[in-house]
Amino acid sequence: MHPLNRKLWRDLYRLRGQALAIALIIASGVAVLVMSLAAAQSLLNSANAYYERYRFADVFATVKRAPISVARRIAQIPGVQQVEPRIVEQATLDIVGFEEPVVASLVSISVPYRPTLNRLVLRSGRFPEPGHNHEVVAGEAFAEAHSMHPGSTLQALINGRKQTLVVVGLALSPEFVYAIGPGALVPDSKRYGVLWMGREALEAGYDLDAAFNDIVLSLWHGASLPSVLREIDRLLRPYGGVGAVARKDQISNWFVMNEITQLHNIARILPVIFLAVGAFLANMILARLIATERSEIGLLKAFGYGDAAVAWHYAKLIVAMTALGVLIGWVGGYWLGLWLTSVYAVFFRFPTLLYTPGSVAFAVAALVSLVATLSGGVGAARRAARLPPAEAMRPPEPPVFTRNQGAFYRFTDWLDQASRIFLRQALRWPLRSLLTSLGIGAAIGILISALQWLDAIDRMVEAYYYEQQRQDAIVALVGSEPDSITGDFLRLPGVIAAEGHRFVAARLHNGHLSQREALIGVPAGSQLEILRDDSGSRITIPPNGLLLSAKLAEMLDVSVGEHLRIEVLEGRHPVVSAPVVALFDTLIGTPAYMHIDALNELLKERNQTNAVFLLIDEHQHQRLFARLKTIPAVGSVMLRDAAIQMFHESVGETILIYVTFYTFFACTLAIGVTYNAMRIALSERGRELATLRVLGFYTGEISYVLLGEAAMLVVLAIPLGCLMGFGLTVILASAFETELFRIPLVVEPATYATATVVVLIATLIAGILVHRRLAHLDLIAVLKTRE
Amino acid sequence: MVAQTSAPASSAAEHRPTLIGSGLSKTYHAGEVAIHALRQVDITLYEAELVVLLGPSGSGKSTLLNILGGLDTPTAGEVRFRDHALAGASDTELTRYRRDHVGFVFQFYNLIASLTAAENIALVTEIARAPLAPAEALATVGLADRVDAFPAQLSGGEQQRVAIARAIAKQPDILLCDEPTGALDSRTGVLVLEAIAQVNRDLGTTTALITHNATIADMADRVLRFADGRIVDVQENAVRKAPGELSW
C-alpha cells in the first residue's frame, strides 16, 4: 500500500467518530432514497405482474341495464381484445355478531368458473358449483375481518329479498387490490367486502336475464384508448351508461399508483436534506484536517507531490466516508425497502411479493451522495492544493479577533469570560455557525414535517367529519326515491333527524378539460352537511349554479362567474350549462355541489333523493341497524364514527411507522451535526481548553466553554428548525396533494415542542460523548507544543 | 538521593518552605520502553525565593515543574504544599490547588485568542479568591496601555507579559515558569524576566523558573542543575543580578 494511502486509513481511523457520524447521515439519505425507489419499483412490478397474470382489465364501464348483444358490439370496437359483461350490484349483509350493516359488492362470475378478465386468485376453498346459486367466493380481507372461511354463511339483502349465502372460497382480485366501499375514504374490511357469485344467481336476483350492468374489457397493444372510451360511451348511453373509465382511473389501481407517486416524492425531497448536511460536514471535517496537517502538506509538496495529488489525497478521505455511508445506506435501504414492500404486499394483498429493488436506485443513491459530499469537500481540498510548501510548513496565523468585528462584541461585554470565548468564537466564523445551526435545525424540521402528519390527520378528520359532515350516518338508497322517504327514515328507531340529498354521476367540461364527478344535491339550509368558506363562515347553497371545491375549479381551470358544461351520466343524459357561483376549500375529494332542487330540475325529476343523511341517538344504534339491514331500498350505510376510526387506523398506522423512521433519521442528523461541530471545536480549541484547565478551571467549567457554543447553536437551531419544519411541511403537502386528499398546513405547538425536545435529547447525547473526551485532555502535551 | 537541597543560608530563619517534594520519580512508558524522566528527586521551595531550574532538554525539569504545579502526578514520592499532601490527590483537588495557589507561565504564552489582555486576566480573577484587578496586574508587567488589545494585536514579549500578569493576578503562592523566554529574543526576554523578578520581589511569590539558558541563572536565589532526571548541582547566588544586567 502506498504510504499516503496508509496515512489516509489512519486518518480515517483517528477521525472514526466524526467519519461515522457523517457516514450515518449519508447513509440515512441513501437509505431513504433506496427504500423509496426500491419500494416504488417493487410495488409497480408486483402490481404489473399481478395485473398481467390475472388479466386486469384496461377499461371499466357501468350501465343501468344493457342487453348482452351490446357487449358483442363493444367487442367489435377496433382495439378491443376481450370483453366481459358482468353484473355488479350492491347488497347489505347481515353478519352474525356484527351489529352494523355491511355493504358488499356482488360481482358475477361464470359457473363453472372460466377465468377471463380480472381473474380471481383462489386462496382457499373452491368456486361455486353449477346449480348452487347460494354459493359465493368472498374477498379474503373481508372474510378474515369477520373470521369467515369456506363453509361460513351470511345473510344478504339481494334486491329486497333476504338470502342466505354460503362462502365456498376465499379469493383475491386485481380489481380490488385497494377494496374501498362506496363513499369511503379508506378501506374498511369489516364494513365493506366483495362477493363473487354465479352469474345466474345474480341475473335472477336483479332481473338481469341476458343483460349486464357492468362491463370490463382488455385492449390490444397499441389500441387508441380515447376512441375506445368514446365508442363505449356511445354504445352504452342508451342503456344508462355512466361513462367508461380507463385503468388509470379505476379506483383500486389509482390508489396503488398514487402510493408509488408518493414514494417517488419521498425519494425526491428527503435525501436532499441529508446529503446537503453530509456535504457541509464533509467540508468542515476536511477543512479542519487540512488546517492541522499544514506542515505535512508542505512536506509532501517539498517532496514533489503535485497540487492535484495533494487535493486527491484529501478528496479520497471524503470518498471513503461517503463510500461507508453509501454501503450502510444500501444495506439499510435494501432492508427498509423490503420491509416497506412487504407492508404494502400485506396491505394490498398481492398474491406474490416481487421485491425488485433494481440497480438504478442503488446507483443513483451512490452517485448523488458522492457528488454532494465531494462538492462539499472540494473547496477545502483545493485550499490544501494551493498552499505553497514554504507557507504550509509554518504554523497558521492565529485567528485574529479585534474589536472591529461587529457590534456583537459590545454585546458580549456583560458576559463572563467563558461565555465570551464561545460567543466570540461562533461570531468569528458566522457562516460555519449558521450552517451548523441549520444542520441541527434540519433535524428539527424533518421531525416536524413527520409529526405534522398526525396534526394534519386530526385536522382533516375535524374539518371533514365534524365541521362539514354533521350526520352520523349516510344511507345510500338503491335508486332514487321521492323525498318523502326521509319521513319514513325519521320514524325508524333512534333517528333524530333525516335529510334527503342526491348524488348524480356527471362529467363536468370546460373547453377541452373535463372531470368526472358526482354532483351533490344539498337541500337549502341543510343541517347535516355544512360547507364553509376560507374564513370558516357558512356558505349558503345558491338556488342555481354550481358550488365547486377549489381543487376541482383548479383542475377544470374555471373561476367564479364562468360556466361549465354539465354532462349528466344518468337518466336521459341531459347536457346543460351552469354557472360557477362560488368556490370553497375542502381537504378531501373534489366535490361539486348544487341545490337539490336545481339538480332535480336538471334531471327533470321533482323531489327525488338517493341518499338520506341521518342523525342518530347513539343508544339506539343496535335497533336502528337491525332495521336498516332489512329495508330493501337501502343500498349501503356509511357510519361516520366507523369511517373516522378506519381513517385513523389505516392512515395512522402508516404514519406512525414513518414517524419512527424519521425520528431515527432526525436523531442521526442532530447527533452527527452536533458531534462533528463539537469535535472540530475541541480540535481547534483543545489548547485553549487545556490552558483553562491549567489555570484552575474544573472539567465542568471548560465543558461549559465547549458545550456552551454547541448549546447556543442548538438554541439558534430551534427557531430555524421550526421555520424549516413549516417550509418542509409546505413542500411535502404540495407534493403529496392528490385529488383525494390535501394535507392541511397545521402544525400544532405540541408538534414543534416534541420535535425540539427529541432533537435536544439527541444533541445532549452528542454533548455527553464529547464531554467524556474533555476529562482526558492531555494538559502537558498540549502546552508543550506550539500549535 | 543525589543532591540535598537546602534553604539559602541567609534566609533560612525567616523563610518557611512553601513546597516540598521528596523522593519524586516519574516513569513514562513509551511502548515497551520505560523512560525515567525523574529519578528520586528531593526539592524544597521556600517562601519568596526565586529558583532557576537549569538543564538540557529531557533532563527532567519540566516533569518536576508539572508535578509541583499539580499538572502531573509522580510515579513515586511525595509532594507537600504547606500542610497538604498532593500525592494521591484527586483531579478535582489538584484543580483546586492550581486554581488557588499556582500561577503558570509557558513558553508559548497560551493566551485565549478571542479574549483581550484584560479579559485573559479576568478569566483567572473571576475564579480566584483574592485577585488583583486585571488592570492592576497588567500595570505590574508594564502593559497598562494594552488592556483592550487582543493577543493577535500584541508582540510576543507583550503576550508573554500578559501571560505573567494572568499568572500573578490571582496572587498565587507559587509561580511556575517553563521556558518563559524560550520563544523571545534577548531584549524582549529581559523585559519578561524583569516582570517575573518584580512579581517575586513585590508580591513575595515563590517562583520557579525553567530555562536552558545559563545566563538567566544569575537572577536566582538558587540554581538547581538537572541532568538525566536528577538534580546534579545546587548553586546559591549570594547576590541576585537584576534581569537588566543579563544578556545573551
Side-chain angles (χ1 to χ4, degrees), chain A residues 420 424 693 698 701 784, chain B residues 62 98-99 114 119 178:
Chain A
R420 283 184 208 188
R424 288 180 186 171
R693 287 282 285 132
Y698 295 110
E701 289 170 327
K784 271 299 194 187
Chain B
S62 288
R98 293 197 300 271
R99 184 176 193 141
S114 54
E119 288 167 343
D178 194 347

Side-chain angles (χ1 to χ4, degrees), chain A residues 159-210:
Chain A
N159 206 10
R161 283 188 300 273
K162 205 163 196 178
Q163 288 193 22
T164 301
L165 302 176
V166 181
V167 175
V168 293
L170 305 183
L172 301 174
S173 158
E175 193 183 356
F176 298 100
V177 169
Y178 194 84
I180 190 162
L185 295 171
V186 293
D188 180 351
S189 298
K190 275 203 169 313
R191 295 173 189 83
Y192 173 73
V194 184
L195 298 177
W196 289 273
M197 289 178 78
R199 185 181 167 89
E200 207 179 298
L202 281 173
E203 274 182 1
Y206 291 96
D207 302 325
L208 285 163
D209 292 336

Side-chain angles (χ1 to χ4, degrees), chain A residues 132-311:
Chain A
H132 295 195
N133 280 357
H134 59 285
E135 291 184 347
V136 297
V137 169
E140 191 183 51
F142 169 68
E144 280 176 7
H146 289 285
S147 311
M148 286 193 285
H149 41 79
S152 299
T153 58
L154 45 89
Q155 302 289 318
L157 197 62
I158 294 177
N159 206 10
R161 283 188 300 273
K162 205 163 196 178
Q163 288 193 22
T164 301
L165 302 176
V166 181
V167 175
V168 293
L170 305 183
L172 301 174
S173 158
E175 193 183 356
F176 298 100
V177 169
Y178 194 84
I180 190 162
L185 295 171
V186 293
D188 180 351
S189 298
K190 275 203 169 313
R191 295 173 189 83
Y192 173 73
V194 184
L195 298 177
W196 289 273
M197 289 178 78
R199 185 181 167 89
E200 207 179 298
L202 281 173
E203 274 182 1
Y206 291 96
D207 302 325
L208 285 163
D209 292 336
F212 66 93
N213 67 2
D214 186 283
I215 188 163
V216 293
L217 42 138
S218 60
L219 303 181
W220 290 110
H221 189 70
S224 160
L225 182 65
S227 63
V228 171
L229 292 177
R230 233 181 357 256
E231 199 56 18
I232 295 172
D233 285 354
R234 191 183 64 78
L235 289 171
L236 291 180
R237 172 167 300 182
Y239 305 101
V242 291
V245 295
R247 181 195 274 191
K248 78 171 176 58
D249 294 317
Q250 195 261 355
I251 188 96
S252 160
N253 181 58
W254 183 89
F255 273 101
V256 176
M257 295 305 146
N258 180 54
E259 207 59 44
I260 293 170
T261 310
Q262 309 291 37
L263 285 170
H264 280 290
N265 283 332
I266 292 174
R268 253 198 305 274
I269 297 166
L270 276 173
V272 173
I273 297 172
F274 286 101
L275 295 179
V277 176
F280 158 60
L281 292 183
N283 173 289
M284 232 167 65
I285 193 171
L286 199 59
R288 181 57 201 160
L289 184 69
I290 288 165
T292 55
E293 292 191 348
R294 281 169 68 96
S295 55
E296 283 92 332
I297 293 168
L299 213 58
L300 286 176
K301 291 195 161 183
F303 289 161
Y305 284 91
D307 290 359
V310 170

Side-chain angles (χ1 to χ4, degrees), chain A residues 456-476:
Chain A
I457 286 170
D458 285 346
R459 178 66 202 134
M460 277 165 102
V461 166
E462 178 68 28
Y464 186 73
Y465 287 111
Y466 292 104
E467 290 169 13
Q468 184 181 337
Q469 306 293 329
R470 307 296 284 259
Q471 77 301 122
D472 296 314
I474 297 175
V475 177

Side-chain angles (χ1 to χ4, degrees), chain A residues 398-404 409 412-413 415-418 420-422 424-425 687-689 691-699 701 775 779-780 782-786, chain B residues 28 62 66 71-72 91-92 95-96 98-99 102 104 106-116 119-120 122-124 126-127 148 150 152-153 166 170 178-179 183:
Chain A
V400 175
F401 286 84
T402 66
R403 286 259 159 201
N404 309 329
Y409 275 54
T412 58
D413 282 355
L415 293 166
D416 65 299
Q417 307 308 322
R420 283 184 208 188
I421 293 175
F422 71 70
R424 288 180 186 171
Q425 192 76 22
R687 190 183 183 78
E688 288 190 354
L689 296 174
T691 303
L692 294 181
R693 287 282 285 132
V694 169
L695 293 178
F697 280 73
Y698 295 110
T699 312
E701 289 170 327
L779 306 185
I780 299 157
V782 168
L783 295 173
K784 271 299 194 187
T785 53
R786 182 189 269 274
Chain B
Y28 294 107
S62 288
N66 290 334
L71 289 177
D72 204 352
D91 182 58
T92 311
T95 305
R96 181 95 241 166
R98 293 197 300 271
R99 184 176 193 141
V102 188
F104 285 99
F106 294 96
Q107 182 178 0
F108 298 117
Y109 332 135
N110 291 314
L111 297 179
I112 308 292
S114 54
L115 297 181
T116 62
E119 288 167 343
N120 261 286
L123 201 55
V124 170
E126 275 175 5
I127 59 168
D148 280 335
F150 282 91
Q153 298 167 315
R166 183 175 65 183
K170 70 169 85 157
D178 194 347
E179 297 276 11

